Amino acid sequence: MDMKEINRRTVEQFRAGGEIEGMHRERLVLLTTVGRRSGEQRTTPMMFHRDGEHVYVIASNRGAPQHPDWYRNLVADPQVTVEIGDTTYKATATPLTGTEYERVWTDIKQAYPFFAEHETKAGRVIPVVELVAD
């Protein structure tokens, strides 16, 4: 499975406004970060979690032992672009810590139990990142 090709096709389908093969459009965000080494924009489709006005993304990397590239990019440069539905906005990506992390991470695992499986498989703390509109 070529993830770069799947991501490219998903981004294309999302931006075209139609159905997205194998995914729920209403749960999908396109997150654009700046590559920490290349300096180029990188857009990654992923699931998001909404809690009221708050939007969160989860750096589970499908349970891999390392953080995903998009997460490492936003740690280096937290200024991102967010696309949800027909809305696009600039945001600051802020990884959660402490009690706020614990509260949100618990809510996410209750809503989507597969994230608990990713956490066990990864053997690392799974970052949760809030996307705060600028």
Side-chain angles (χ1 to χ4, degrees):
M1 160 176 12
D2 181 359
M3 286 308 296
K4 286 185 180 184
E5 177 57 26
I6 291 169
N7 285 349
R8 186 198 62 73
R9 189 172 56 244
T10 300
V11 168
E12 186 178 281
Q13 291 172 344
F14 183 94
R15 288 182 174 157
E19 195 171 313
I20 300 169
E21 185 179 324
M23 297 184 194
H24 297 278
R25 182 178 183 71
E26 69 278 0
R27 291 191 209 150
L28 194 64
V29 61
L30 300 186
L31 181 67
T32 301
T33 60
V34 174
R36 65 195 178 287
R37 292 187 303 233
S38 70
E40 296 178 15
Q41 290 194 341
R42 305 283 186 206
T43 301
T44 307
M46 67 189 76
M47 186 180 147
F48 72 96
H49 176 72
R50 189 182 299 271
D51 181 8
E53 294 296 313
H54 303 275
V55 174
Y56 304 100
V57 290
I58 303 96
S60 72
N61 206 13
R62 296 183 173 193
Q66 70 280 352
H67 295 315
D69 288 339
W70 63 262
Y71 177 75
R72 292 183 288 199
N73 289 343
L74 68 76
V75 167
D77 181 355
Q79 300 309 303
V80 299
T81 301
V82 177
E83 297 173 62
I84 297 176
D86 295 331
T87 304
T88 300
Y89 59 93
K90 298 289 186 189
T92 301
T94 306
L96 299 182
T97 59
T99 57
E100 184 67 2
Y101 171 83
E102 293 300 328
R103 182 189 68 77
V104 174
W105 183 229
T106 298
D107 289 349
I108 289 169
K109 290 188 292 184
Q110 287 176 349
Y112 310 102
F114 61 86
F115 281 119
E117 295 169 18
H118 289 186
E119 181 178 43
T120 299
K121 182 178 171 188
R124 63 181 169 86
V125 173
I126 304 293
V128 176
V129 179
E130 183 173 9
L131 305 174
V132 180
D134 291 340

